[in-house]
Amino acid sequence: MTPKELLYIEDALGHEKHLKLQCQDFAEKFQNLELKALAEELATKHQEIFDIFYKLL
């Protein structure tokens, strides 16, 4: 892998981690159960994407 490709993966990992944390934060704050479930689902999806990128290393 080239250094540029590694930087891309590093950026992607950072973005996915940030998005996961944001979704978890919103899930804790939502009162509406449907919105809470959606935010939790999105957090899980972002963790899965993070894991996929991490496996590339």
Side-chain angles (χ1 to χ4, degrees), residues 37-55:
L38 177 61
E40 290 170 346
E41 182 181 325
L42 289 171
T44 300
K45 187 64 175 174
H46 285 295
Q47 181 62 53
E48 291 171 1
I49 294 169
F50 179 94
D51 293 342
I52 290 168
F53 279 124
Y54 191 79
K55 287 178 185 176

Side-chain angles (χ1 to χ4, degrees), residues 5-15 57:
E5 290 170 327
L6 288 172
L7 285 174
Y8 173 77
I9 293 172
E10 183 181 343
D11 284 346
L13 286 169
H15 290 294
L57 303 174

